[in-house]
Amino acid sequence: MKISQRVLNTQFSPIRKLVPYAERAKEEGKKVYLLNIGQPDIETPKAFFEGIKKYSSKVIYYSHSAGLLELRGAFSDYYKLWDIDFDPQELIVTTGGSEAAIFALASVADPGDEVMVIEPFYANYKGFAEMLNVKLCPVKSDPETGYAVPSIEEFEKAYNENVKAIIFSNPSNPTGAVYSYEEVKRIVDFAKEKDIFVISDEVYKEFTFDGTKHVSVMDFEDKDRFILIDSVSKRYSACGARIGVFATKNKKLLEQVMKFAQSRLSPPLLAQFGVLGLLKDLGKDYYQGVALEYQKRRDAAYEEIKKIEGAVCKKPHGSFYLSVKLPIDDSEEFIKWMLTDFDVNGETVMVSPLSGFYATPGAGKQEIRIAYVLNSEELRKACNILKEAVTVYNERKIKVK
Amino acid sequence: MKISQRVLNTQFSPIRKLVPYAERAKEEGKKVYLLNIGQPDIETPKAFFEGIKKYSSKVIYYSHSAGLLELRGAFSDYYKLWDIDFDPQELIVTTGGSEAAIFALASVADPGDEVMVIEPFYANYKGFAEMLNVKLCPVKSDPETGYAVPSIEEFEKAYNENVKAIIFSNPSNPTGAVYSYEEVKRIVDFAKEKDIFVISDEVYKEFTFDGTKHVSVMDFEDKDRFILIDSVSKRYSACGARIGVFATKNKKLLEQVMKFAQSRLSPPLLAQFGVLGLLKDLGKDYYQGVALEYQKRRDAAYEEIKKIEGAVCKKPHGSFYLSVKLPIDDSEEFIKWMLTDFDVNGETVMVSPLSGFYATPGAGKQEIRIAYVLNSEELRKACNILKEAVTVYNERKIKVK
């Protein structure tokens, strides 16, 4: 009786694996600022709850495997706001962006195949790839450049014949980088040259600051090559709804992916009604308001982080994460230590170690991800605690030596 | 740019793939009795909607990746009603039974490994296995025996060294067979002898008729070997909730499967509150009432099916399906024809071809699955139309020749 190698090989989520330490810290009476997970505190708009109230059938039935047609229509209209053209029939409503990523990876790669990824990347791509026996082929971006898209030479160096697609998120989780037109074009051109699929995770598309604008892969030609991954989780502060989208204009691919969708029957029904409410009710002003709030938080977090001596962090312009390289030896050990052995007046901080967001072994050991999902005042406090922790941690290390 | 072989190899759901023909029939003004899909018409109990109303937070947050602890506690209490012992910590709440099956297959088998299955089996096992590059190793049950569990000799014949687990549903979807203590013991003993996992899909455990009683794998010793798959979809007529359970007392396995659960973040939140309402509100009398209703329907469907000359169908004692071997050459062709070229006073029937519920190529071509999810009167009408259809279809065939 043997547990599969694939699950043994799968990494524990770097976002959630240190949760037991945080729980213990709380039990001990510490206040823990949770900056590890992208769970926003902003209220889910009322339209979600109103949408659910409109559900009038007495049976909670399966929806169409691709999601309610009306919901697909509403998503199609919503994308038009951003000049992204998708017919309802080109969309499959998924159980969160997670399932959209699983469908994408499984439909472009077989076991042994590789999918290129700009690292650091959204850590759960790795979990999904491991479940599907797809190997990630990393091309590295650096804190020193603000995690900009690597040069074409670096793509060429990282590439091999087993690569069938490239996946990335823009705005980036975990780095907050917002890719310029030229950067997205570099990815698209490379994919065209190698004749591979492009999987573009555009979950944070509205979260851009300082006048930067999100560039979708759908702005480019050769659209049969593109798969768009979307989710309502962050946009509407509706993580628990578990509603995402797999979108492609590639008819053959879509028809094939429908097999996966049919096998799991349907996405959650009531949440679909909730999201229908959101999509019909909210316009661009809503997204702009949310982006402004996160911009304020980014300002607060970034200002405080910059005060940490030796920290490397270029101002990020999107999503609600920032990654920072700290003057420490091992961020996972550091975070555990903050939870078990450190506090400032009974308060401490939890963030995510960035090593789990890399596919290259040993990479990202000095980096952390901060999700700025608290209000600005709390964020400042939390970042100050972090700053203090870096100092004490390093002094302690010196003493130990 | 190449679509993966795994998705190309995945079968279209035999339950859903003929839906376009049914839609066209409806457009042409025909009434179509839908007996293809296990979507019950029975009302979802009010406790589900009441449970959701109790949700008071203003944010739709991620739940614990294993589901709300309170919900796991309620499931644990519910299993006790059936003398099945699971601690809350031994349960992972999943997005439907579908995800529980995916987690089970992925955690016991690597690409190239095989999972034994009693065929005909729940068709989507095949879809999940294909997505995960796990091969199904079928051992055949027959309509002549009422699809009883095959003999130990047949298990031995089908088995090979690559088999890592056996999966089956009891009561059976698609056959309605309810396995006796001796039959389940045969499976468990075989698994023990070969040292493989047992994945027991007990989604229909309450749906047993004529005094038969469901036998859980959890009634047997050697519990580390067992994975139980569960779902609220059918039990509470809540298919669209997408809430299931992956349960095991094998601590090491559970810890590993949590990696998959964490990668996809959480099951749908509001539905968890709905199911919490159901589990707290409903007792054994509810399940008995539902079973009695389905027993009536089984009676109605079975009586009419028996009138079809040449049909092979032993009275099934559980779930809400029955499989029947018809005196036709190709059930898929027959079903399409019923939708496109046949009606009785403007009415026709849709059922599922059973070939998609077999892993053995060419098997089940004469068989169909009927989901008796309509009231008895409508079921009788539908089965009569089916009877008439068999006659006309065969006469037509003779004429063509």
Side-chain angles (χ1 to χ4, degrees), chain A residues 126-196:
Chain A
K126 203 163 154 189
F128 305 144
E130 283 158 335
M131 187 173 88
L132 297 166
N133 287 82
V134 171
K135 200 176 158 198
L136 293 182
C137 169
V139 53
K140 199 169 175 306
S141 71
D142 295 303
E144 286 78 9
T145 65
Y147 300 100
V149 171
S151 69
I152 193 73
E153 291 74 25
E154 288 166 292
F155 276 106
E156 286 288 357
K157 216 168 14 175
Y159 175 83
N160 72 69
E161 289 287 314
N162 296 323
V163 169
K164 308 295 179 193
I166 180 164
I167 187 169
F168 65 99
S169 64
N170 173 33
S172 166
N173 174 1
T175 71
V178 179
Y179 297 160
S180 67
Y181 183 88
E182 287 66 31
E183 286 177 288
V184 180
K185 187 169 185 297
R186 195 179 312 151
I187 299 168
V188 168
D189 286 348
F190 179 76
K192 195 169 182 174
E193 197 231 310
K194 300 300 183 194
D195 197 21
I196 58 178

Side-chain angles (χ1 to χ4, degrees), chain A residues 1-13 15-17 23 37-46 48-49 52 55 57-66 95 98-99 102-103 105-111 113 122 124 126-128 130-134 164 194-197 222 224-226 233-234 237-242 250 252-253 255-260 262-271, chain B residues 1-13 15-17 23 37-46 48-49 52 55 57-66 95 98-99 102-103 105-111 113 122 124 126-128 130-134 164 194-197 222 224-226 233-234 237-242 250 252-253 255-260 262-271:
Chain A
M1 197 168 69
K2 257 167 58 181
I3 294 175
S4 71
Q5 204 53 49
R6 73 170 110 202
V7 72
L8 294 172
N9 290 348
T10 298
Q11 76 171 0
F12 282 98
S13 162
I15 303 159
R16 295 194 168 214
K17 73 176 175 181
E23 283 169 355
I37 190 163
Q39 169 60 64
D41 62 328
I42 289 177
E43 285 184 16
T44 312
K46 288 200 170 54
F48 181 85
F49 301 95
I52 287 177
Y55 187 76
S57 165
K58 289 182 173 172
V59 182
I60 300 292
Y61 54 77
Y62 290 125
S63 76
H64 191 289
S65 293
T95 306
S98 299
E99 192 181 56
I102 291 170
F103 286 177
L105 292 171
S107 61
V108 302
D110 288 307
D113 285 345
Y122 175 50
N124 290 325
K126 203 163 154 189
F128 305 144
E130 283 158 335
M131 187 173 88
L132 297 166
N133 287 82
V134 171
K164 308 295 179 193
K194 300 300 183 194
D195 197 21
I196 58 178
F197 282 103
D222 196 23
D224 266 9
R225 192 177 300 287
F226 307 145
S233 294
K234 316 297 167 155
S237 231
C239 296
R242 313 310 299 128
N250 186 320
K252 189 170 173 212
L253 179 68
E255 185 190 78
Q256 293 297 316
V257 171
M258 270 307 291
K259 296 172 176 176
F260 293 150
Q262 288 191 347
S263 292
R264 61 67 163 131
L265 304 163
S266 91
L269 182 73
L270 285 184
Chain B
M1 195 168 70
K2 257 167 57 184
I3 293 174
S4 70
Q5 204 53 49
R6 73 170 110 202
V7 69
L8 294 172
N9 290 348
T10 299
Q11 76 170 0
F12 282 98
S13 162
I15 302 158
R16 294 193 167 215
K17 73 177 176 182
E23 282 169 356
I37 190 162
Q39 169 59 64
D41 62 328
I42 288 178
E43 284 184 17
T44 311
K46 287 199 173 54
F48 181 84
F49 300 96
I52 287 176
Y55 187 75
S57 164
K58 288 181 174 175
V59 181
I60 300 292
Y61 54 78
Y62 290 126
S63 75
H64 191 290
S65 292
T95 306
S98 300
E99 193 182 53
I102 291 171
F103 285 177
L105 292 171
S107 60
V108 302
D110 287 307
D113 286 344
Y122 175 49
N124 291 325
K126 204 165 157 187
F128 305 143
E130 283 159 333
M131 187 172 88
L132 297 166
N133 287 84
V134 170
K164 308 294 179 194
K194 300 299 182 194
D195 196 23
I196 58 177
F197 282 104
D222 196 22
D224 266 8
R225 193 178 298 289
F226 306 145
S233 295
K234 315 296 166 159
S237 231
C239 296
R242 311 311 298 128
N250 187 320
K252 188 169 174 212
L253 179 69
E255 184 189 79
Q256 292 298 317
V257 170
M258 270 308 290
K259 296 173 178 177
F260 293 151
Q262 288 193 347
S263 291
R264 62 65 163 131
L265 303 164
S266 91
L269 182 73
L270 285 184

Side-chain angles (χ1 to χ4, degrees), chain B residues 32-233:
Chain B
V32 181
Y33 293 94
L34 296 176
L35 305 181
N36 60 307
I37 190 162
Q39 169 59 64
D41 62 328
I42 288 178
E43 284 184 17
T44 311
K46 287 199 173 54
F48 181 84
F49 300 96
E50 296 300 325
I52 287 176
K53 275 187 203 148
K54 283 190 187 139
Y55 187 75
S56 60
S57 164
K58 288 181 174 175
V59 181
I60 300 292
Y61 54 78
Y62 290 126
S63 75
H64 191 290
S65 292
L68 300 165
L69 185 58
E70 196 184 352
L71 178 59
R72 283 179 276 153
F75 268 115
S76 171
D77 291 342
Y78 155 82
Y79 289 126
K80 286 196 183 83
L81 285 181
W82 305 94
D83 296 319
I84 296 174
D85 168 50
F86 276 119
D87 286 341
Q89 286 75 12
E90 295 169 336
L91 309 174
I92 297 174
V93 177
T94 55
T95 306
S98 300
E99 193 182 53
I102 291 171
F103 285 177
L105 292 171
S107 60
V108 302
D110 287 307
D113 286 344
E114 302 191 19
V115 171
M116 207 166 206
V117 63
I118 301 173
E119 67 177 3
F121 50 82
Y122 175 49
N124 291 325
Y125 297 161
K126 204 165 157 187
F128 305 143
E130 283 159 333
M131 187 172 88
L132 297 166
N133 287 84
V134 170
K135 201 178 157 195
L136 293 181
C137 169
V139 52
K140 198 169 176 306
S141 72
D142 294 303
E144 287 77 10
T145 66
Y147 301 99
V149 171
S151 69
I152 193 73
E153 290 74 25
E154 286 166 293
F155 275 106
E156 287 288 357
K157 219 172 4 178
Y159 175 82
N160 71 69
E161 289 288 314
N162 296 324
V163 169
K164 308 294 179 194
I166 179 164
I167 188 170
F168 65 100
S169 65
N170 172 34
S172 166
N173 174 4
T175 70
V178 179
Y179 297 160
S180 67
Y181 183 86
E182 287 67 31
E183 285 177 290
V184 180
K185 189 170 184 300
R186 195 179 310 152
I187 298 169
V188 168
D189 287 348
F190 179 76
K192 195 167 180 174
E193 197 231 310
K194 300 299 182 194
D195 196 23
I196 58 177
F197 282 104
V198 177
I199 306 168
S200 180
D201 177 346
E202 306 191 355
V203 158
Y204 293 95
K205 117 175 133 285
E206 285 86 353
F207 299 82
T208 61
F209 320 136
D210 315 313
T212 59
K213 208 186 143 288
H214 170 253
V215 178
S216 172
V217 280
M218 298 307 292
D219 294 349
F220 295 84
E221 288 309 306
D222 196 22
K223 292 186 168 50
D224 266 8
R225 193 178 298 289
F226 306 145
I227 298 167
L228 191 140
I229 294 176
D230 198 14
S231 163
V232 306
S233 295

